Structures are given as C-alpha cells and as structure tokens.
Amino acid sequence: MSHGPSASGGAVLKASHGHHDEPYVPVFTGDMRTKLDELIARYPTTQAALLPALWMLQDARGWVSEPGMAEVASLLDITPAYVKGVVTFYTMYHQHPVGKYFIQVCTTSPCNVCGAEDVVKAFLDKTGCGELGVTSDDGRYTVIEVECLGACGFATPVMVNSDFLESISPDTVPDVLKKYQ
Amino acid sequence: MGYPHQPHPRETLVLSKHFGDAEARTLDGWKKRGGYKALEMALGMDPVAIQNVVKESGLRGRGGAGFPTGLKWSFMKIGDGKPHYLCCNADESEPGTFKDREIMRWTPHALIEGVAIGAYAIGAETAYIYIRGEFTEPIQRMEAALAEARAAGVIGKNAMGTGKTIDIWVHKGAGAYICGEETALMNSIEGRRGNPRIKPPFPAVAGLFGKPTTINNVETLAAVPHILNNGADWYKKMSRPDNPKSTGTKLWSVCGNIARPGNYEVEMGFPFGEFLHEVCGGALPGRTIKAIIPGGSSVPIITLEEAERGVMDYEGMVSVGTMLGSAGCIVIDSAQSMPKQIARLARFYAHESCAQCTQCREGTAWTTKILERIVAGDGTAEDLDTLLDIGESMTGKTICVLSDSCATPVSSGLQKFRHEFEALITRKTVHAVPTVVA
Ligand SMILES: Cc1cc2nc3c(=O)[nH]c(=O)nc-3n(C[C@H](O)[C@H](O)[C@H](O)COP(=O)(O)O)c2cc1C
Ligand code: SF4
Ligand code: FES
C-alpha cells in the first residue's frame, strides 16, 4: 500500500523538533494566497488544486500538519477528513516533522544490484541515525529507503530534501553530508 | 545518446540528439535547432489530418502498452462541444526506466511542442504534464521552458498568433508509482487518492474531470514533431523490413550490472545482443551477465541467451518470451542472487499497490513475505508452488495490471532460475533480506 514514512513498515519517525504545541499560523496569506488562487485557476474544479496546495504547505512548514490540512480544506471547500485521506495516500507528504535534511536512498532492484544497500548503511552510520526513519538526536538527519527514483542508470540516486543527487557510493557519502550540515 | 556518455555510432539520434547540450533548453536555442516549426505547421492543419499522419507513421505508445497513438487520438471526437483534455504521463516510476527524465531535463521544449501538437490534434485546449514529485530538476526545467513559451506566445490563449488556445500546466505528483496508471493519474490531477478507475468508461469517453481525455507518455509526444517535420514515411522506414508493426526510434534506459549504463536511442529492430555487448559495453570486468529484464520491472525476466536472440521492437521482444514495455532494461550479473532481487521487486509492488483489489493487496504482500522467507534461509519445498499459485490468482483479475506485474518476475524468475531458489531452500544459503522501506 502507498503509505507515508510514518505508516506501517516498522520505521517510525520520531518527532524530534516538532511544532505540535505552538499555535497555528496560516500559510496561505499574502503572496501565498495569490499563488494558490493562480493554481486554482488552472483547473476546472477547486479540488484539483489539492496536491499543489499541499506542496505549498509542506514547502513552507516542512511537513503537513492537521491544522495545515484544515486550512487547505477550508480554502478548497473540501473536508479536513477528505484532505487527510489524500495526504495519507502519497508518500512524499510528511505527516510528522522530519530531520532538517531528509535523505532518501533508492534501493529498488536496479540500484540494489549496484550496491544501494551499502549506501544506505553508510548514511545510517555517518549521520548517527542508526535506524531507518529515525531522526538523529541533533534533529539534522532522517534517512529512509525509497522505491525507484527514476534515475536507475545513475545508481545510486539519493534525494536530500529537494536536491537530487546521482551516482552516490558509500565512499562519497561523507562528502555529501559535508554539504548538508 | 548514451548520456552521460558520448553517442555510440550505431545509435540513431532523434529524440536524444541534444541531450547534454544546455543551449537546447532555451526557447531561442530550441528554435535554432528547428524547434516549433512542426507546431506552426500543425496549427495550420485540420486536427484529423494530424491524427492521420501519426496513424500512418506507425507510432505506438512508449509508456509501456504500445497502443497505436494515432488510433488513440482518433477516439477523441473533434467538435463534440465538450472540453477535451490531454494528459502527458511523466510519472516515470517503472523500475529500470529513466528516459522521460532526460527528455525533460535536456529538451523541455521538445516535450512542450509535442504536447501542444497532441492537444490540438485531439481538440483539447488544456493539457497537464503529470511529473512525479521526485523529479525536482525536470519539474524546474519544464516550468522554466513553459514560462518562456507562454511569454513568447508560443502557447497560451493565442498560440503562435493563431487565435487557438493551448494551455499547458505541470501537475506535480507526490510519490506513488500507481499514479503512472492512466486513470489513477487522472484521479491524482483531480485532487483524489491515486486509485485506478474501473474501465469502461474509457478515458476518451469520460476521463479527466469526466471529459474526453487522452493520456500519452512523454517519449510518445516528443516523437510527434519529428514525424510532422519529416513525414510518416521517414518514421516508418526505421523498422525491420519484415515487421512494419514497430516503427521509429526508441530510447532504451540501460541500468544495473552493465559497463556503460545510460540512455541509448536505436531504431526499432536493432539486434539486442549487439546492443548489449557493443553499444552498452557488455558485462562489468570479470563478470558475466545472467539475466535481463528488458522492458521495466513488470515484464518477464529472460536469460542472456534469450536476449541475444532478440531484436529490439515490440514483436521481437514477444518472440523471446518477454515484452518491450517501457524499454527500461535491467541487467543482472552472476554476482547477484536472483531470489533476492525478485524478492526486492515483489516488495516494490507490495509497497506500491493501491490496495483496492484483494488479489493485489493480499497477493503482493504474501508473495513478498514468502520470497523474503526463502531468501532468509527459512523457505520450504512447498513455497515455490505456493508462489506460483498466488501469482496465478493475481493475474488478469484486478482493476489494473499492477497485480499482474508483481506475479510476472516471480513466475518467469522461478521458471528460469529455479535452481537458485532450490539451492536456498535445500542448502539454506542466506542472503541479506532487504531492509524496511518507508
Ligand atoms: C501500474 C502502472 C504504472 C504505469 N506507469 C506509467 C508511467 O510511469 N509512465 C507512463 O508513461 N505510462 C505508465 N503506465 C501506462 C499508462 O497507463 C498508459 O498506458 C500510458 O501512459 C499511455 O501512453 P502511451 O500510449 O503514449 O504509451 C503505467 C501503467 C500501469 C498499469
Ligand atoms: S491491481 Fe493493485 S494497484 Fe491496481 S487497482 Fe487493484 S489494488 Fe490497486
Ligand atoms: S531503481 Fe533506483 S532509481 Fe530506479
């Protein structure tokens, strides 16, 4: 089943630097609201702007919180429960805060036969995360395995937040991490 | 070209001619390379005439199913008074496939031109390019090129000054292989969970927003301007003399245990053995290739010997017991454990099942569990038959073919590499089980 990193599969993201208790400040004001209205105008229904709106929310806040979903729901005239149903379908929306650098390593077969599992081990080791899906104690890193990133000829591709890196090997992991401190 | 490598002399560079050439990314650079002439020509033609040229060229869908593109377009009734939509499928999530990514990264205007022509040819004023969320660079390149094309009036409310409307928007996915399935893709654009829809109705009758819709792959649409510029006959000639059913060039993404991974563009009918050994450089030093999955992870696994007998077109792949699919060619060598890799593929499908259909939801999970047990050294003699039984009950019974796609590598793998599974069961050789995937 398609599920976020927080769902089944054994790995649970620890909310290490969450903002759960802070009052919610709306995202869609000023320019953000204008941008959302532009997006809505691209589609014949308001609901169709849901995925783009969730992206804007996540880009602004780092994750998709319940109050964030409620804000999107009210703007797009749909229910919060409906929004949650959509959010939980797609793996890229974070339903919990994640490390400052969210590291995704592809381990599907084409990369797997090129040694992707060793790249994962190197990241877990060098970030201090130790375990998949667990944010490092300093809040800097979260490492997960992902399914095919669509760059199989450049094994092993790794995403750090929205940066897409190619041809990463265990040897180059320390250099990668130097850039993301 | 085999980007990041230099093109091989035996490649035929049509779609990939400008890969690696940064200037081709700009509107001016693209026009200098002959860009947007085909769109200008198309906008002066009758949409049905464009459909006919594409039909005549023999172009077939490059997304996996190989459906004739012109025929698909002709299902759209021009002038029926309803809004029509074109969806460009840039979800590219089939393991082994990474060609659409390079088209969008290097030649974004080639895709815009193809989408614009496609939209006009099916009577659509709006097209959405659905790009998987992980493709951050391709998304950025497409957005930049679209902004340029809009600002220059190439597309928009008065495309190329013809008074015709062609709006093109990028819709960013959010991580779900299943959204590459055409009806799941439409749901995802509509702001829904990406569950495939039951067909009929087919998209040409009731698709995106309930309106007549056509879905085409990136590579399919990118080929269209070349066909209009050079003619259907030019395209048709790129085929085997004895097989007119597969025409044109095809981008092959080659990955795994191969000397030179990358994208290669060859004419339909190219000999597969020569392709692997000569064009892609063959096996890694000191290793031997044992298995090939030529069309993305959903097609049957073949041995090297079978591959060497094959020719690279739709029919040629069928005659060696597999399929062309998305032409994402995965090469596996003797240093790899087939049971481990097949288990890993099963895990992929289990992770990506949308869970609507019982056979798929349960079957993919059960298959993965058994395979991982075998790989861990805890398999039993009955497991192999159980796997085949489960595969049987997962095939041809579900809303979409993701379920079948999980059964395919298992049944073909068991057929061709059964000894590796048996060795694990009897000799209990243990391989590392893939770890948890979030
Ligand atoms: C599970 C599944 C995943 C698919 N993924 C893709 C994909 O990533 N890209 C694609 O172009 N087609 C994909 N397809 C095929 C599409 O459903 C559709 O046939 C194709 O986009 C049509 O375009 P074409 O005729 O130009 O090939 C997928 C199909 C299935 C069943
Ligand atoms: S076959 Fe699987 S992925 Fe396809 S609709 Fe059914 S449950 Fe979903
Ligand atoms: S399998 Fe790793 S990018 Fe495709």
Side-chain angles (χ1 to χ4, degrees), chain A residues 1 9 42-43 85 90 145 166, chain B residues 128 171 193 350-351 435-436:
Chain A
M1 190 157 96
R42 296 180 176 184
Y43 306 94
Y90 297 95
E145 290 184 20
E166 295 173 350
Chain B
Y128 298 100
H171 191 91
R193 291 168 72 91
H351 182 261
T435 31
V436 174

Side-chain angles (χ1 to χ4, degrees), chain A:
Chain A
M1 190 157 96
S2 275
H3 48 61
S6 57
S8 60
V12 178
L13 292 173
K14 268 194 220 154
S16 58
H17 67 136
H19 318 284
H20 279 301
D21 304 326
E22 292 160 23
Y24 182 74
V25 181
V27 168
F28 296 96
T29 56
D31 286 354
M32 291 285 278
R33 183 61 208 257
T34 314
K35 173 89 185 118
L36 180 64
D37 288 338
E38 277 169 26
L39 285 169
I40 293 172
R42 296 180 176 184
Y43 306 94
T45 68
T46 314
Q47 178 187 294
L50 180 52
L51 266 63
L54 290 168
W55 274 120
M56 287 178 72
L57 174 66
Q58 176 153 309
D59 289 345
R61 293 289 152 83
W63 62 296
V64 175
S65 66
E66 299 260 351
M69 290 185 226
E71 188 190 3
V72 168
S74 71
L75 290 168
L76 301 185
D77 211 14
I78 44 186
T79 67
Y82 179 85
V83 173
K84 189 162 190 176
V86 171
V87 168
T88 53
F89 186 86
Y90 297 95
T91 55
M92 291 183 81
Y93 296 127
H94 304 312
Q95 294 162 62
H96 300 272
V98 293
K100 182 176 170 199
Y101 298 112
F102 187 70
I103 301 171
Q104 309 186 62
V105 186
C106 172
T107 59
T108 311
S109 301
C111 289
N112 203 292
V113 299
C114 299
E117 287 173 359
D118 295 332
V119 178
V120 173
K121 281 195 200 99
F123 272 111
L124 288 177
D125 226 39
K126 298 282 189 291
T127 55
C129 289
E131 238 180 282
L132 288 168
V134 175
T135 299
S136 58
D137 289 336
D138 57 9
R140 266 192 299 175
Y141 303 111
T142 310
V143 182
I144 66 159
E145 290 184 20
V146 278
E147 297 296 351
C148 182
L149 285 171
C152 330
F154 305 89
T156 294
V158 173
M159 286 194 81
V160 183
N161 298 345
S162 61
D163 292 350
F164 199 106
L165 315 177
E166 295 173 350
S167 310
I168 303 303
S169 66
D171 304 346
T172 56
V173 166
D175 287 339
V176 170
L177 291 175
K178 255 183 232 151
K179 276 185 265 162
Y180 300 101
Q181 283 295 321

Side-chain angles (χ1 to χ4, degrees), chain B residues 241-253:
Chain B
D242 55 342
N243 181 25
K245 288 189 192 147
S246 297
T247 60
T249 61
K250 181 78 195 81
L251 277 172
W252 288 75
S253 307

